[in-house]
């Protein structure tokens, strides 16, 4: 059997790890990634930004749900290698730089490769996958450099795509050197003068990392953060106690409003017992896929339109130290967070002029900055993704976006559904492309479950594990 995994970030690498641990002799695994530095790391853990900590502590970053302290134990053993990046002795509650986690991910893959059964072949392919086409009961993966690979099964582990540009009238601005389309590169901050004002579109965790990186490299200019609601991620609290009493009533599955009301009432009950809202949100996390799939389509749209901005800042939190930094900069007047709409953007002789309209205001105003960086979050509408592979799969009818344009349409087990509504035999995905079905499908907590279940499904390791995969 031959399995081709397209993408070597967290999703693809972790799938490869489980395959290597469980595959039998005669299995060949291709891991396809054009960027050598991103092999085994992807975008998230290969960043060159000077400040980019994980968003959860070391004790919660294991690649394996059944070995919850695996990352922390690995980190403790190898901490001497990172004296300049972490404080020693390392603690379970520390927020570790993402590049260090990337080293851990790579190390566990190398161990799985070394321990694979005899006759299992693992091949790294440093090319871009351009298309996947059916060949008999299998596939041909065509890559750059005229490279082609035959595979019985294919996994799309494509991760996140760069943010979409805002729909402004002056679209020529997006060709300007004053605009940075992808926030995940150190190049976006290079060449800035210390006093240059900067505008960040979006108030996500990516924005938090960029502000921290600006401070780390000595930037002293004004930073404007603009988003529709002006909401910042909530700070992580390492002292949060697990909440054991969560019981979701049937009514919560019926509408977005009912779900919202249930969560608010549950938080009140939890707080009366000495817990916090964080305890409730963490306890709810594993139920989100079922809740999301049960909600009627109309209610999902209501959630996305009215509740999502307030929801997102609660489960996806920033380290308390990052929250402290943002508060300090706001108090000094160096950082301003504005709830606003971006009306238009133009390049000027010395930078960029951004026209905004503050929330609940009719009049517009202008901000002069040296650079604009898009931090609005990954592009989820696959019809707008420019990657050749995505365009080919959609054009050939082998994939279709989900009805909410959050990802790709899949079966419960991660198999892609074609434009005729039929599962594509042997073609799977995991992680961000499954957001439309699972909603929460971008963090380690969800991806590690999906990767294990998918690997078992690919090699058909027993009936029980197949049932697990189908539910994932």
């Amino acid at each position: 059997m031959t399995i081709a995994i397209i993408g070597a970030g967290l999703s693809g690498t972790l799938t490869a790890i489980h395959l290597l641990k469980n595959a039998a002799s005669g299995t060949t695994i291709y891991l396809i990634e054009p960027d050598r530095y991103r092999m085994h790391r992807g975008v998230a853990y290969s960043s060159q930004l000077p400040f980019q900590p994980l968003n959860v502590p070391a004790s919660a970053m294991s690649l394996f749900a059944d070995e919850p302290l695996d990352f922390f134990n690995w980190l403790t053993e190898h901490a001497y290698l990172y004296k300049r990046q972490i404080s020693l002795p390392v603690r379970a509650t520390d927020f570790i730089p993402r590049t260090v986690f990337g080293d851990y991910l790579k190390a566990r893959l190398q161990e799985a490769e070394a321990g694979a059964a005899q006759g299992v072949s693992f091949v790294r392919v440093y090319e871009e996958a351009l298309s996947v086409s059916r060949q008999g009961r299998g596939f041909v993966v065509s890559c750059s450099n005229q490279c082609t690979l035959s595979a019985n099964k294919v996994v799309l582990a494509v991760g996140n795509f760069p943010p979409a540009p805002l729909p402004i009238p002056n679209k020529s601005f997006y060709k300007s050197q004053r605009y940075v389309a992808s926030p995940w590169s150190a190049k976006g901050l290079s060449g800035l003068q210390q006093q240059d004002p900067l505008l960040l579109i979006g108030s996500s965790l990516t924005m938090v990392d960029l502000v921290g990186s600006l401070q780390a490299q000595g930037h002293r200019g004004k930073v404007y953060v603009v988003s529709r609601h002006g909401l910042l991620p909530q700070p992580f609290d390492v002292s949060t106690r697990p909440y054991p009493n969560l019981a979701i009533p049937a009514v919560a599955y019926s509408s977005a409003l009912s779900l919202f009301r249930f969560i608010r009432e549950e938080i009140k009950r939890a707080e009366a017992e000495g817990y916090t809202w964080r305890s409730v949100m963490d306890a709810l996390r594993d139920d989100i896929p079922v809740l999301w799939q049960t909600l009627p389509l109309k209610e999902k749209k209501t959630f996305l339109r009215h509740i999502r901005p307030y929801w997102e800042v609660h489960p996806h939190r920033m380290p308390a130290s990052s929250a402290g930094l943002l508060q300090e900069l706001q108090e000094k007047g160096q950082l301003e967070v504005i709830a606003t709409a971006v009306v238009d953007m133009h390049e000027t002789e010395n930078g960029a002029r951004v026209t905004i309209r503050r929330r609940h205001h009719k009049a517009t105003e202008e901000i002069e900055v040296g650079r604009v960086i898009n931090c609005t979050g990954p592009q989820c509408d696959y019809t707008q993704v420019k990657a050749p592979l995505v365009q080919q799969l959609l054009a050939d009818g082998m994939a279709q976006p989900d009805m909410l344009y959050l990802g790709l349409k899949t079966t419960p087990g991660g198999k892609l559904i074609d434009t005729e509504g039929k599962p594509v035999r042997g073609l799977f995905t995991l992680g961000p492309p499954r957001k439309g079905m699972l909603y929460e499908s971008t963090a380690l907590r969800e991806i590690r479950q999906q990767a294990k279940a998918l690997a078992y499904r690919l090699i058909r390791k027993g009936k029980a594990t197949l049932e697990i995969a189908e539910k994932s």
Side-chain angles (χ1 to χ4, degrees), residues 22-87:
N22 294 282
S25 179
T27 303
T28 297
I29 304 163
Y30 293 115
L31 188 59
I32 306 169
E33 170 59 54
D35 190 324
R36 287 184 173 269
Y37 189 72
R38 289 182 179 177
M39 178 68 80
H40 320 314
R41 295 174 175 272
V43 172
Y45 309 115
S46 62
S47 172
Q48 297 298 297
L49 293 173
F51 176 90
Q52 200 169 33
L54 297 167
N55 298 319
V56 294
S59 59
M61 284 299 294
S62 172
L63 291 174
F64 314 106
D66 53 353
E67 300 176 55
L69 292 179
D70 186 65
F71 174 57
F72 176 64
N73 292 336
W74 177 91
L75 184 62
T76 301
E77 182 181 350
H78 297 87
Y80 69 95
L81 297 172
Y82 304 103
K83 293 179 180 178
R84 296 183 179 180
Q85 297 162 275
I86 62 177
S87 299

Side-chain angles (χ1 to χ4, degrees), residues 153-278:
K153 298 175 183 178
V154 174
V155 177
L156 301 179
V158 292
N160 289 314
F161 292 98
L166 273 65
I168 57 174
N170 180 35
K171 293 181 173 54
S172 64
F173 178 76
Y174 293 129
K175 298 179 181 178
S176 168
Q177 292 185 345
R178 301 293 183 177
Y179 175 72
V180 179
S182 176
W184 305 316
S185 170
K187 294 180 181 179
L189 302 183
S190 64
L192 277 173
Q193 299 300 312
Q194 280 194 351
Q195 299 302 322
D196 280 352
L198 194 70
L199 185 135
L200 307 180
I201 305 175
S203 54
S204 64
L205 290 168
T206 300
M207 175 279 296
V208 176
D209 290 341
L210 285 177
V211 171
S213 295
L214 285 165
Q215 294 303 299
Q217 65 183 38
H219 183 259
R220 296 295 176 264
K222 180 73 173 278
V223 177
Y224 299 94
V225 174
V226 298
S227 67
R228 284 178 55 208
H229 296 83
L231 299 172
L232 295 175
Q234 291 292 309
F236 202 101
D237 183 353
V238 296
S239 64
T240 298
R241 290 192 299 150
Y243 184 58
N245 303 323
L246 190 67
I248 304 174
V251 67
Y253 294 83
S254 62
S255 72
L257 181 58
S258 297
L259 174 59
F260 185 65
R261 286 174 173 168
F262 159 70
I263 295 173
R264 292 189 65 177
E265 290 301 317
E266 194 67 27
I267 289 173
K268 288 181 182 178
R269 285 191 288 270
E271 290 175 342
E273 298 175 13
Y275 296 93
T276 69
W277 64 263
R278 294 175 177 83

Side-chain angles (χ1 to χ4, degrees), residues 110-178:
Q110 291 173 334
E111 291 171 6
E113 182 181 9
Q118 188 173 2
V120 172
S121 178
F122 182 58
V123 182
R124 296 167 178 82
V125 180
Y126 294 95
E127 304 287 350
E128 180 184 7
L130 301 176
S131 68
V132 174
S133 55
R134 177 66 76 183
Q135 184 183 61
R137 295 176 65 85
F139 302 91
V140 171
V141 181
S142 298
C143 302
S144 52
N145 239 356
Q146 297 184 331
C147 164
T148 59
L149 305 169
S150 295
N152 301 101
K153 298 175 183 178
V154 174
V155 177
L156 301 179
V158 292
N160 289 314
F161 292 98
L166 273 65
I168 57 174
N170 180 35
K171 293 181 173 54
S172 64
F173 178 76
Y174 293 129
K175 298 179 181 178
S176 168
Q177 292 185 345
R178 301 293 183 177

Side-chain angles (χ1 to χ4, degrees), residues 311-383:
W311 171 273
E312 292 291 337
V313 299
H314 287 86
H316 304 288
R317 303 164 208 155
M318 59 179 159
S321 58
S322 297
L325 172 63
L326 295 187
Q327 182 177 352
E328 178 185 345
L329 293 175
Q330 286 178 293
E331 291 173 351
K332 290 165 57 178
Q334 192 176 342
L335 175 70
E336 184 177 357
V337 181
I338 310 172
T340 185
V342 175
V343 178
D344 210 352
M345 295 184 278
H346 291 84
E347 184 173 11
T348 64
E349 183 177 351
N350 299 315
R353 183 177 67 253
V354 182
T355 305
I356 64 171
R357 182 182 294 110
R358 292 178 186 259
R359 190 171 173 84
H360 305 308
H361 287 68
K362 293 182 179 180
T364 62
E365 59 187 274
E366 294 180 345
I367 299 175
E368 298 282 345
V369 294
R371 193 171 300 179
V372 176
I373 302 179
N374 192 339
C375 308
T376 55
Q379 171 66 276
C380 296
D381 181 354
Y382 277 64
T383 64

